[in-house]
Amino acid sequence: MPGPVRRPRRRLNQPREQVLAAAMATIAAEGLDRLTMAGLGREVGMSSGHILYYFGTKDELLLQTLQWSEEQLGAERRAALSRRVPARERLDALIDLYLPDGHRDPRWTLWLEVWNRSQNADDETRERQLELELAWHRDLVALLVEGASKGEFRSVDAERLATRIRALLDGFGTHLVVGLPGTDRAQVREHIHEFLDESLTP
């Protein structure tokens, strides 16, 4: 799942979207521990009961906030992938969007919390989580196929390589967001670029 959190520029008219934007802004500014239904209610001018009317549970609120955040990031990803530049340059841009900015990155903090809370989730919830992953996977596969077709990349099994790249990003991304000592974003990018060079250079 891998960009700074931005407050939306347009006015949010729908109560649900107002709450999601406020939740993400709270996580960015104060951390996940400070995110409460009562606090969100004060932020958007609703009661905590009104928020529960829209979301039912805090788990559902967090999942929908993650989906909302990924929609914003997905627009950035599509813009980066549509640029008329070499496939490798677009791949590097995708990698940069995927990775957390660093320790306590709010989007990744939310991602880890949602996945941790979903250990006993129902099938429908797991499908919604899977779709977040597949959005990145499909774009990555398409880019690998395109690069190979143009001779920029070595011919590879794009599905398998995309799965491995995402696993590498998830592992390093988790190290970054939890602040594992001795791990920084520059080192992570170097490791990933070395792997891509070894895997894709014709």
Side-chain angles (χ1 to χ4, degrees):
M1 346 197 294
V5 175
R6 302 176 178 87
R7 286 182 181 270
R9 294 178 182 174
R10 62 187 177 86
R11 185 173 181 272
L12 300 174
N13 294 315
Q14 297 299 320
R16 172 185 168 277
E17 194 172 356
Q18 287 180 332
V19 174
L20 298 178
M24 199 69 241
T26 298
I27 295 170
E30 303 179 37
L32 193 58
D33 290 343
R34 300 295 297 274
L35 180 65
T36 65
M37 295 295 192
L40 277 179
R42 289 190 295 272
E43 183 73 20
V44 298
M46 299 180 188
S47 68
S48 56
H50 197 182
I51 293 175
L52 283 171
Y53 170 80
Y54 280 101
F55 300 99
T57 65
K58 187 173 183 179
D59 285 357
E60 179 63 21
L61 168 67
L62 293 176
L63 177 54
Q64 289 196 35
T65 302
L66 182 60
Q67 289 175 309
W68 181 85
S69 173
E70 285 292 311
E71 289 172 7
Q72 318 307 307
L73 193 61
E76 293 185 51
R77 186 176 71 248
R78 289 188 293 274
L81 294 177
S82 66
R83 294 171 57 212
R84 295 181 179 276
V85 296
R88 179 54 191 268
E89 190 171 332
R90 283 177 283 149
L91 178 57
D92 290 343
L94 184 148
I95 299 301
D96 282 339
L97 284 173
Y98 195 105
L99 287 172
D101 286 339
H103 187 204
R104 296 181 179 173
D105 176 281
R107 185 173 55 83
W108 269 76
T109 297
L110 177 58
W111 183 84
L112 289 174
E113 180 70 12
V114 168
W115 257 245
N116 184 56
R117 285 170 172 260
S118 68
Q119 294 182 65
N120 298 313
D122 57 29
D123 291 342
E124 189 268 341
T125 298
R126 291 187 181 280
E127 286 295 324
R128 291 162 65 196
Q129 292 176 312
L130 177 61
E131 185 55 36
L132 298 178
E133 298 290 319
L134 290 180
W136 289 91
H137 184 81
R138 286 190 292 261
D139 284 346
L140 181 53
V141 169
L143 187 55
L144 295 175
V145 170
E146 178 191 341
S149 71
K150 294 180 177 178
E152 296 182 46
F153 297 155
R154 179 188 309 167
S155 180
V156 296
D157 183 330
E159 286 282 348
R160 287 175 61 83
L161 183 58
T163 298
R164 292 173 181 176
I165 292 172
R166 289 194 304 110
L168 189 68
L169 293 171
D170 287 345
F172 276 125
T174 301
H175 289 180
L176 282 174
V177 77
V178 301
L180 192 70
T183 304
D184 62 40
R185 203 170 193 273
Q187 292 172 332
V188 166
R189 291 177 78 252
E190 183 178 351
H191 280 299
I192 293 168
H193 288 172
E194 285 180 2
F195 175 78
L196 295 176
D197 289 341
E198 294 168 359
S199 301
L200 293 173
T201 302

